[in-house]
Amino acid sequence: MPPQTQTQRRRRTANHDEADELRRRRQSRRNNESDESEASEGNQDGDVDMERHGDGTEDQLIKKLVRYALACEYARTPIKRDGIRDKVLGSHPRSFKRVFEGAQAQLQKVFGMEMVELPVKEKRTLKEKQKANARKAASQSTTSSRQYILVSTLPPEYKSQFIIAPSRIPSAAEEAAYVGFYTMVISLIVLNGGELSDTKLRRYLARMNASQNLPMDKTDNVLQKVVRQGYVDKVVEKGDGDEDAVTWCVGSRGRVEVPPESIAAVVREVWGDLPDDFNKKLQRSLGIQEPSEL
C-alpha cells in the first residue's frame, strides 16, 4: 500500500473536523428539542394559561361546552360535571372554572339561557335515607348534584307562547301536549302536599280521559319518560302484602322547570273565573309569599 501524502492527510483531518462539527450541531438541536418538550409537559401538569400562548384553546373549549350543553338540553338529559371534564376539557381539567364561566356568558348573550345546577335528588324510601345518613356521617363535604340544565334568562314579557313556541321536533303539537302533561302531573303532586299515590294519580288521569292513552303515546310509556327525564320521581316501597306502595313526587328537573309560579298560572288558566280570595289561597297552598303592601 503506497504511503499517504501530506495533502491526503490534511484532507482526511478536515473531513474528521467537519464530521465532528456536524455531530455537535445535531446534538445541540436534540437538546433544544428535549428542553422544549419538557417545558410543554410541565405546563400540562398545571393549569395551562391558554390565553398566554395565544392559540385560542380556551375559546375553543368554551364553544365546545356551549355545544355540549345545547345537545344535552335538546335530549333533556342533565349536563353532568364529569361529562364536561371527559367530553369537553380533555387534557385541561383545571380550566373548568374559566371555561364554565365563559360558556355561561356566551349562553346568556347569544341564546338567552344559562346553566343552573339541579337540586340534589331527595331520599324518599327508608333505605335511601339510611344510606344518605351513613354517607353524611362518613364525610362532611358539601352536597352537590354536580348536574346542570339550561333555563331561560329572558324577561317575563318575552316568555309568551307567541315568542317561545314549542319545539317542532318531533312536532309542535306533540311537544306542546307533552309539556302540558308533565306540567299538569307536577301541579297535581304539589297541590296534594308534595306527593301523590298511584291510585289517586290514575283517578285524576281518568277524569282527563288520559288513563290509557295520550296524543303522543300510551300513558304508561309517557310516565316512564317523565321519570327518566327527571320531571317526576316514582317511589316504590315494598309493602306487607303482595302489592308495592307506589308514590309520585316531583323530580329534580321538575322542581326547576316548573316552579310554584308556573303551577299557579296553570291553575288560574284551568279554573277560569276566580273567586275573590282564590289567589291568596293558591299562594298559601304553593308557599308563594304575597307581595307586601306599602
Side-chain angles (χ1 to χ4, degrees):
M1 186 174 181
Q4 295 181 353
T5 64
Q6 187 174 0
T7 302
Q8 289 176 330
R9 285 196 296 271
R10 281 200 298 269
R11 286 177 182 173
R12 180 163 299 182
T13 303
N15 291 337
H16 282 302
D17 293 340
E18 291 176 0
D20 292 341
E21 180 65 22
L22 183 59
R23 281 195 296 271
R24 283 196 295 270
R25 289 180 181 177
R26 289 177 178 173
Q27 183 65 33
S28 177
R29 191 180 299 116
R30 283 196 294 268
N31 291 338
N32 291 335
E33 291 176 354
S34 178
D35 293 341
E36 292 176 359
S37 176
E38 290 177 1
S40 176
E41 292 176 358
N43 286 336
Q44 290 178 0
D45 291 338
D47 189 3
V48 180
D49 190 356
M50 290 173 284
E51 292 182 352
R52 183 184 64 190
H53 293 293
D55 57 1
T57 304
E58 186 167 324
D59 291 337
Q60 294 299 321
L61 291 177
I62 289 172
K63 294 177 182 178
K64 195 173 180 181
L65 177 52
V66 170
R67 291 194 296 269
Y68 176 67
L70 293 174
C72 289
E73 187 59 28
Y74 173 77
R76 284 190 168 102
T77 58
I79 307 163
K80 298 182 180 180
R81 183 172 294 198
D82 292 339
I84 295 174
R85 294 185 183 277
D86 296 338
K87 300 179 181 180
V88 177
L89 299 180
S91 60
H92 307 290
R94 297 189 180 182
S95 301
F96 178 88
K97 184 177 180 181
R98 294 203 310 272
V99 173
F100 187 87
E101 291 175 351
Q104 284 280 57
Q106 286 294 316
L107 288 167
Q108 293 168 355
K109 181 179 179 181
V110 179
F111 299 97
M113 295 185 289
E114 66 179 358
M115 289 181 282
V116 173
E117 186 172 5
L118 288 173
V120 179
K121 186 177 179 180
E122 295 184 9
K123 310 304 178 186
R124 312 285 187 183
T125 64
L126 179 61
K127 190 174 182 180
E128 289 177 343
K129 292 178 180 179
Q130 290 175 344
K131 288 183 178 180
N133 292 333
R135 285 195 297 267
K136 189 181 295 184
S139 175
Q140 299 296 327
S141 59
T142 57
T143 57
S144 173
S145 67
R146 300 173 65 86
Q147 298 180 352
Y148 308 86
I149 63 170
L150 289 179
V151 298
S152 174
T153 59
L154 295 176
E157 56 268 22
Y158 293 110
K159 293 183 179 180
S160 68
Q161 60 181 347
F162 303 104
I163 297 176
I164 306 179
S167 173
R168 290 177 291 181
I169 300 175
S171 69
E174 185 171 327
E175 176 68 10
Y178 179 64
V179 173
F181 176 75
Y182 71 66
T183 302
M184 180 62 69
V185 171
I186 291 174
S187 301
L188 291 172
I189 293 173
V190 173
L191 292 172
N192 277 272
E195 61 181 35
L196 192 64
S197 66
D198 186 67
T199 303
K200 204 169 185 179
L201 174 62
R202 301 291 176 175
R203 194 180 305 136
Y204 281 126
L205 294 177
R207 291 179 183 176
M208 294 184 289
N209 197 25
S211 59
Q212 298 295 327
N213 295 288
L214 290 167
M216 71 291 291
D217 202 348
K218 292 184 177 180
T219 302
D220 287 338
N221 293 341
V222 180
L223 286 173
Q224 291 177 5
K225 183 178 179 180
V226 296
V227 170
R228 184 172 65 252
Q229 293 179 346
Y231 288 106
V232 298
D233 291 335
K234 183 180 181 181
V235 183
V236 180
E237 290 191 273
K238 298 293 183 181
D240 296 334
D242 296 334
E243 295 184 0
D244 297 333
V246 179
T247 307
W248 296 89
C249 305
V250 182
S252 300
R253 180 182 283 269
R255 286 154 62 188
V256 175
E257 285 195 14
V258 190
E261 293 77 12
S262 299
I263 296 174
V266 171
V267 173
R268 294 190 192 100
E269 186 69 22
V270 173
W271 195 275
D273 295 332
L274 305 178
D276 294 336
D277 59 345
F278 182 85
N279 284 325
K280 289 185 177 180
K281 291 181 178 179
L282 180 60
Q283 291 174 344
R284 191 160 50 246
S285 299
L286 297 174
I288 303 175
Q289 292 184 353
E290 298 181 15
S292 57
E293 298 180 1
L294 297 177

